Amino acid sequence: MARVFITGSSDGLGRMAAQLLIEQGHSVVLHARNQQRGKEALSAVPGAETVIIADLASIAQTRHLAEQVNALGSFDAVIHNAAVGYREPRPIETEDGLPHVFAANTLAPYILTALIKKPKRLVYLSSGLHRNGDASLKDLAWKERPWNGQQAYSDTKLHDVLLAFALARRWPDVLSNALEPGWVPTKMGGPGAPDDLDAAHRTQVWLAASNDPAAMVTGEYFYHMRLRAPSPVSRDGKLQDALLDACKNFSGVEFPSK
Ligand SMILES: NC(=O)c1ccc[n+]([C@@H]2O[C@H](COP(=O)([O-])OP(=O)(O)OC[C@H]3O[C@@H](n4cnc5c(N)ncnc54)[C@H](OP(=O)(O)O)[C@@H]3O)[C@@H](O)[C@H]2O)c1
């Protein structure tokens, strides 16, 4: 039995993953953006251990979330699932002066990875759109570029793969992988999304908790429990390190050396 923490488990694939893990006999701690969403998450996922509240768009709340996770003890796996989508028509600035999409999708998983006591496995939700992500890492805060919501989202999903692979390289004692769930009809995906919703949450569950040797690998990228080639730039160690540095500068959170 594994103990798993899942960000963004009040809805969509995070909630479905939590339900499936519990069905399989694992223990799950949920996360939601506020108290109301937390209550809804707990009633939608009976059997969850508890729910922790934090808005991932806030650096302070994300840091506090890591403290709360650590106060609960250790976890076998952390699934970095929460994200905001690609349809923001204009940049929404966070209390830290950053675009909401970058704060929630890139900076929050960085901060949580750096501050949560090392689990045995890390899982990062990316997207096929990561292949359109800007690998220059220029203007991550969108101060100079004209806003483009889909580009901003794609950039962050490339960052999520870079994070997963950076961790695989830096922490050989942890299994760290990324995946794309397919374009599926969640709140984010929208009602017309064509891929199979019932298959979308299974890869993160499998990577977090299965003893299948195919799931017990590190530095890999998956789609529907099968290896898939990520963007080749995601394998660039210098780019991975540059992203960690940029996240450190934006958040003030140091990345542990071991
Ligand atoms: N659906 C797709 O077609 C698709 C395709 C490719 C990749 N993905 C990836 O799959 C993952 C899950 O997506 P989904 O489709 O399940 O999305 P979703 O249905 O919109 O659910 C996203 C979850 O993240 C939470 N969340 C978002 N921003 C947050 C914040 N600032 N603070 C705290 N929680 C926050 C949401 O909370 P609320 O419920 O309160 O909003 C919700 O629980 C994401 O990483 C996404 O990029 C999805």
Side-chain angles (χ1 to χ4, degrees), residues 8 10 13 33 37 55-56 81 126 153 157 182 184 186-187:
S10 56
L13 305 182
R33 70 169 72 236
R37 294 299 283 145
D55 184 343
L56 299 179
N81 165 85
S126 181
Y153 175 80
K157 292 290 121 179
V184 290
T186 59
K187 188 170 62 183

Side-chain angles (χ1 to χ4, degrees), residues 14-89:
R15 185 172 73 191
M16 291 166 68
Q19 288 163 337
L20 180 57
L21 281 161
I22 289 168
E23 232 173 84
Q24 293 177 352
H26 303 293
S27 176
V28 174
V29 171
L30 305 171
H31 156 255
R33 70 169 72 236
N34 57 35
Q35 295 293 348
Q36 181 56 35
R37 294 299 283 145
K39 265 191 215 155
E40 288 161 10
L42 277 178
S43 64
V45 190
E49 208 181 306
T50 188
V51 63
I52 316 181
I53 306 302
D55 184 343
L56 299 179
S58 154
I59 293 175
Q61 288 193 39
T62 305
R63 292 181 78 124
H64 184 50
L65 174 63
E67 287 165 16
Q68 294 177 83
V69 173
N70 288 336
L72 292 174
S74 35
F75 283 82
D76 297 295
V78 174
I79 304 178
H80 294 283
N81 165 85
V84 279
Y86 50 90
R87 292 198 191 91
E88 290 194 350

